[in-house]
């Protein structure tokens, strides 16, 4: 068959001839493009398939039609759930001749089992939607929520190796069952696959089949950060809503890092720390303060920012996490954590529901009076009063963080990515795309050890300083073995040369870490370009799966460049 002479009008006509409605086809919204990645490829157009009311594979007939059109006419498809993978990649394709596939209309929540604690979600289900669904259906379970926006897709986050805050933090490891469509060769119809049928219900030959466990091979891992298919649904684990929840915050000084980190390694292994605890530096805290009082930041000069950190007595590092369980379990964990930290001369602060209620009451005054009081304190000549003012300024962030730890999403932390764009912040929900806010997140991983902690954070600090950027760092104890050191690099995309400097800074940090064996927890948009098989030694048989399942290279060409580089398009 001939290859389509690609362009908006011809591609639109092809879609209309194939049964799509004009309301499903649109041009690219330029405010959605280039969220953080300047060298993106604009999509030819955006198409939004509509789900049928069937519960089986025919629900996705329009997606199958689109794949077949792509194979026959020489264009590609870049699917996205909500396009809110901020800091790692947006709605924009990774290669040319791509149609953007908006899957947000597929928003069904089903197969919720209160006894076993699992639920099935489609790509269009947001964090806010799953949270509301669970509350409306008995408030028995919570979903492991991330700091991403409320409207961010659950499926999108799981497929891109996202993580949350509860004991179920590692999302890629909490997928029980997946359903996905692979394109196949030009002469074959796309195939709808199911894999890992633990605790799920699905249809075989129009008959509903239930599974409580699976045997044999499991293909679920193939869909994680891989451009071989379009995922139509995931069945994921939920956390039983704990009878008792207590948040904790443990500030410590730089000189205590070795003892604290190595103690945390021990506490994580023995399950005293049993959620994804975070360790944020004082630059992260200053960012939270700055979004409340943008006028504090008059310069991004390193020495000037250091003066502010000292002025408000911001702690070098703060460990935060949550205790989940029965009152007896939580009490035992608190006792163990207190005892371990007491040996180091470090004092944890515990915040239970009663204290959270008190903090809420202190915010019950009209916002302008609250803000006036805090502003008076942080402007005081007294260092003690300034410190109190800074703590009071962080009350809202603390409450929102505790909500996230209990399964309720928040847009609050979206504001911190405006660090170098504070003048663009308004009272409405931030729109980093429209506001040209630059953002890249990178997360090199290592075992939980003070030695690796110091090496990675020093690389981040020194390299950011070299490129004249700040280094807000949050280290997450993601499981009993591993920590990931997350750098949030933000910049103003409207400032001359800031794109180039930011990308060069990011690349240097991630390559330095990778060359020392500290690989990223997840691939980001930009790291696709410079990581290769030297850094990620994948077997050739795994790389060749793209050739087997998507030989026409239909799904997001170049999205995961390590796979795409080993691929040759076959149109036969």
């Amino acid at each position: 068959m001939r290859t389509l002479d690609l362009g908006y009008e011809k591609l639109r006509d092809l879609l209309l001839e194939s049964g799509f409605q004009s309301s499903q086809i649109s041009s690219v919204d330029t405010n959605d493009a280039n969220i953080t990645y300047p060298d993106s490829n604009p999509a030819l157009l955006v198409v939004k398939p509509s789900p049928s009311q069937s519960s089986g594979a025919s629900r996705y007939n329009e997606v199958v039609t689109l794949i077949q059109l792509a194979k026959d006419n020489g264009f590609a498809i870049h699917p996205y759930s909500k396009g809110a993978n901020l800091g790692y990649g947006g709605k924009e394709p990774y290669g040319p001749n791509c149609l953007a596939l908006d899957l947000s209309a597929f928003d069904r929540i089903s197969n919720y089992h209160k006894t076993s604690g699992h639920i099935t979600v489609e790509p269009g289900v947001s964090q806010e939607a799953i949270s509301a669904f669970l509350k409306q259906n008995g408030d028995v379970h919570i979903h492991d929520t991330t700091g991403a926006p409320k409207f961010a897709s659950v499926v999108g986050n799981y497929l891109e190796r996202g993580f949350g805050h509860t004991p179920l933090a590692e999302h890629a490891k909490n997928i029980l069952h997946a359903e996905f469509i692979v394109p196949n060769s030009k002469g074959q119809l796309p195939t709808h696959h199911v894999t890992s049928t633990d605790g799920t219900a699905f249809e075989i030959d129009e008959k509903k089949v239930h599974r409580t466990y699976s045997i044999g091979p499991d293909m679920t891992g193939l869909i994680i950060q891989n451009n071989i298919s379009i995922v139509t649904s995931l069945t994921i684990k939920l956390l039983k809503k704990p009878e008792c929840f207590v948040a904790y915050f443990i500030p410590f000084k730089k000189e205590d890092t070795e003892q604290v980190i190595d103690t945390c390694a021990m506490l994580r292994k023995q399950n005293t720390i049993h959620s994804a605890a975070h360790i944020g530096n004082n630059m992260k805290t200053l960012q939270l303060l700055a979004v409340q009082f943008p006028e504090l930041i008059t310069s991004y000069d390193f020495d000037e920012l250091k003066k502010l950190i000292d002025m408000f007595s911001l702690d070098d590092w703060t460990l935060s996490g949550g205790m989940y369980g029965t009152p007896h379990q939580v009490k035992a964990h608190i006792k163990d954590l207190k005892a371990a930290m007491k040996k180091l001369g470090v004092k944890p602060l515990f915040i239970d529901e009663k204290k959270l209620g008190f903090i809420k009451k202190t915010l019950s005054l009209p916002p302008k009076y609250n803000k006036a009081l805090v502003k008076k304190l942080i402007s005081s000549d007294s260092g003690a009063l300034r410190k109190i003012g800074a703590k009071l300024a962080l009350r809202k962030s603390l409450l929102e963080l505790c909500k996230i730890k209990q399964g309720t999403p928040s847009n609050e932390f979206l504001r911190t990515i405006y660090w170098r764009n504070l003048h663009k912040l308004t009272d409405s929900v931030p729109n980093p795309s429209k506001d040209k806010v630059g953002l890249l997140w990178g997360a090199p991983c290592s075992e939980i050890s003070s030695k690796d902690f110091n090496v990675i954070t020093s690389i981040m600090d020194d390299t950011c300083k070299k490129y004249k950027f700040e280094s807000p760092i949050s280290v997450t104890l993601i499981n009993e073995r591993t920590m990931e050191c997350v750098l949030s690099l933000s910049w103003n995309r409207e400032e001359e040369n800031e794109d180039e400097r930011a990308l060069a800074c990011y690349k240097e940090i991630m390559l330095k870490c990778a060359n020392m064996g500290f690989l990223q927890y997840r691939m980001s948009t930009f790291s696709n370009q410079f990581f290769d098989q030297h850094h990620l030694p994948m077997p050739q048989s795994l790389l060749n799966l793209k050739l087997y399942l998507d030989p026409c290279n239909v799904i997001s060409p170049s999205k995961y460049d390590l796979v795409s580089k080993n691929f040759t398009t076959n149109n036969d």
Side-chain angles (χ1 to χ4, degrees):
M1 289 188 177
R2 68 182 180 85
T3 298
L4 184 71
D5 181 14
L6 295 170
Y8 177 85
E9 293 299 331
K10 289 188 176 180
L11 188 51
R12 182 178 182 275
D13 289 344
L14 179 69
L15 292 171
L16 292 173
E17 290 168 10
S18 301
F20 288 91
Q21 303 300 309
S22 58
S23 59
Q24 295 176 281
I25 306 165
S26 61
S27 57
V28 176
D29 179 358
T30 54
N31 286 332
D32 263 338
N34 306 320
I35 290 177
T36 57
Y37 186 44
D39 298 322
S40 63
N41 299 276
L44 299 169
L45 54 75
V46 181
V47 63
K48 187 175 181 178
S50 299
S52 75
Q53 294 308 303
S54 166
S55 58
S58 60
R59 179 169 170 79
Y60 311 100
N61 279 345
E62 288 190 346
V63 175
V64 172
T65 297
L66 200 60
I67 293 173
Q68 200 62 26
L69 286 173
K71 290 193 296 184
D72 290 342
N73 293 281
F75 64 88
I77 297 169
H78 175 62
Y80 59 82
S81 304
K82 290 281 194 178
N85 192 25
L86 304 181
Y88 292 107
K91 294 182 179 180
E92 63 272 21
Y94 294 69
N97 293 329
C98 278
L99 173 154
L101 173 58
D102 180 352
L103 294 170
S104 61
F106 293 89
D107 58 1
R108 178 181 284 175
I109 300 175
S110 61
N111 194 29
Y112 173 41
H113 279 225
K114 292 182 181 178
T115 50
S116 56
H118 67 251
I119 196 166
T120 301
V121 289
E122 291 183 326
V125 175
S126 67
Q127 293 201 113
E128 187 171 37
I130 193 172
S131 175
F133 176 92
L134 293 172
K135 287 175 182 174
Q136 291 163 8
N137 285 269
D139 206 16
V140 177
H141 291 92
I142 63 174
H143 171 249
D144 185 76
T145 303
T146 75
K150 292 179 180 181
F151 56 83
S153 165
V154 173
V155 168
N157 185 268
Y158 277 63
L159 295 180
E160 296 290 348
R161 296 191 65 87
F163 67 91
H165 292 73
T166 76
L168 293 181
E170 289 188 278
H171 289 174
K173 292 184 179 180
N174 291 322
I175 299 172
L176 295 172
H177 174 77
E179 300 194 15
F180 56 97
I181 303 170
V182 295
N184 295 323
S185 63
K186 187 178 284 189
Q188 294 178 292
L189 288 174
T191 307
H192 204 116
H193 287 277
V194 298
T195 181
S196 186
T197 56
D198 292 8
T200 62
F202 59 97
E203 288 188 3
I204 295 179
D205 297 330
E206 299 183 352
K207 293 181 180 180
K208 184 158 280 192
V209 179
H210 295 269
R211 292 286 186 270
T212 55
Y213 202 71
S214 64
I215 59 174
D218 173 14
M219 295 193 297
T220 305
L222 298 182
I223 62 172
I224 305 298
Q225 291 217 298
N226 205 351
N227 55 346
I228 61 168
S229 67
I230 294 175
V231 176
T232 56
S233 72
L234 295 179
T235 301
I236 58 175
K237 296 179 188 177
L238 297 171
L239 181 70
K240 181 78 163 60
K241 187 174 181 179
E243 189 179 342
C244 180
F245 168 80
V246 175
Y248 59 86
F249 297 85
I250 308 175
F252 60 94
K253 296 177 181 177
K254 187 175 182 179
E255 53 265 33
D256 295 326
T257 298
E258 182 175 344
Q259 293 185 88
V260 172
I261 299 302
D262 291 339
T263 298
C264 283
M266 178 268 292
L267 294 172
R268 192 71 171 94
K269 286 182 175 66
Q270 72 183 34
N271 208 36
T272 297
I273 294 177
H274 55 273
S275 66
H278 295 263
I279 308 168
N281 67 355
N282 48 28
M283 189 57 67
K284 291 284 288 185
T285 310
L286 183 61
Q287 287 187 339
L288 290 170
L289 194 58
V291 297
Q292 299 294 330
F293 296 93
E295 65 272 15
L296 289 174
I297 309 301
T298 57
S299 167
Y300 291 100
D301 176 77
F302 179 80
D303 291 331
E304 292 301 312
L305 295 176
K306 181 69 167 59
K307 285 178 185 177
L308 285 175
I309 288 169
D310 292 340
M311 182 186 298
F312 298 115
S313 302
L314 303 183
D315 298 298
D316 293 337
W317 294 96
T318 303
L319 168 68
S320 68
M323 301 292 193
Y324 302 76
T326 66
H328 291 300
Q329 288 173 322
V330 170
K331 186 177 180 180
H333 288 314
I334 288 175
K335 184 179 178 181
D336 286 347
L337 185 60
K338 274 184 178 179
M341 292 299 159
K342 187 176 181 180
K343 293 177 183 177
L344 310 181
V346 175
K347 188 175 181 179
L349 169 66
F350 295 96
I351 300 181
D352 57 17
E353 291 296 334
K354 187 176 179 180
K355 289 179 181 175
L356 283 173
F358 174 75
I359 294 169
K360 287 177 186 176
K361 282 184 180 179
T362 68
L363 287 169
S364 61
L365 288 171
K368 67 175 183 177
Y369 294 123
N370 245 313
K371 193 162 187 175
L373 171 62
V374 174
K375 190 169 184 179
K376 187 173 182 180
L377 289 170
I378 63 175
S379 304
S380 171
D381 292 332
S382 166
L385 291 179
R386 287 197 301 269
K387 185 174 182 178
I388 292 171
K391 297 290 185 186
L392 291 175
L394 298 174
R395 285 171 297 167
K396 185 179 179 184
S397 296
L398 185 149
L399 289 174
E400 294 300 310
L401 178 59
C402 287
K403 283 183 184 178
I404 289 173
K405 290 179 185 294
Q406 296 177 84
T408 301
S410 171
N411 289 328
E412 177 67 18
F413 299 98
L414 186 58
R415 297 169 65 83
T416 61
I417 69 174
Y418 277 69
W419 166 245
R420 284 207 171 210
N421 297 267
L422 294 170
H423 58 289
K424 300 175 185 176
L425 273 175
T426 64
D427 291 332
S428 59
V429 176
N431 186 335
S433 309
K434 184 177 180 180
D435 294 333
K436 304 301 179 188
V437 174
L439 175 68
L440 278 169
W441 274 318
C445 291
S446 75
E447 65 175 297
I448 304 174
S449 79
S450 59
K451 179 183 175 183
D452 291 346
F453 182 99
N454 288 329
V455 168
I456 296 172
T457 57
S458 293
I459 289 173
M460 290 175 173
D461 284 336
D462 294 344
T463 311
C464 283
K465 195 179 292 187
K466 170 184 169 183
Y467 286 93
K468 294 182 170 54
F469 286 108
E470 301 69 50
S471 52
I473 301 170
S474 177
V475 178
T476 302
L477 311 183
I478 197 70
N479 58 39
E480 73 281 359
R481 300 177 297 106
T482 308
M483 63 182 183
E484 54 173 353
C485 304
V486 183
L487 172 69
S488 175
L489 190 64
S490 57
W491 69 96
N492 184 351
R493 303 201 64 206
E494 293 180 314
E495 286 288 330
E496 188 176 2
N497 299 323
E498 280 212 9
D499 271 344
E500 291 78 7
R501 282 195 299 116
L503 295 176
C505 177
Y506 180 87
K507 179 177 180 178
E508 187 169 324
I509 290 170
M510 297 308 148
L511 278 176
K512 278 182 180 177
C513 289
N515 288 331
M516 297 179 73
F518 305 130
L519 295 177
Q520 288 198 77
Y521 181 74
R522 57 190 288 197
M523 292 288 282
S524 69
T525 305
F526 185 54
S527 58
N528 280 325
Q529 292 197 346
F530 54 79
F531 279 143
D532 56 30
Q533 208 159 356
H534 170 72
H535 304 106
L536 302 169
M538 294 183 182
Q540 191 64 38
S541 56
L542 184 59
L543 299 174
N544 286 341
L545 280 170
K546 175 77 170 172
L547 182 62
Y548 175 70
L549 297 170
D550 183 19
C552 297
N553 203 12
V554 166
I555 308 298
S556 289
S558 301
K559 183 172 184 182
Y560 305 109
D561 219 30
L562 183 58
V563 175
S564 298
K565 277 180 181 175
N566 287 271
F567 177 77
T568 303
T569 302
N570 179 4
N571 286 317
D572 296 331

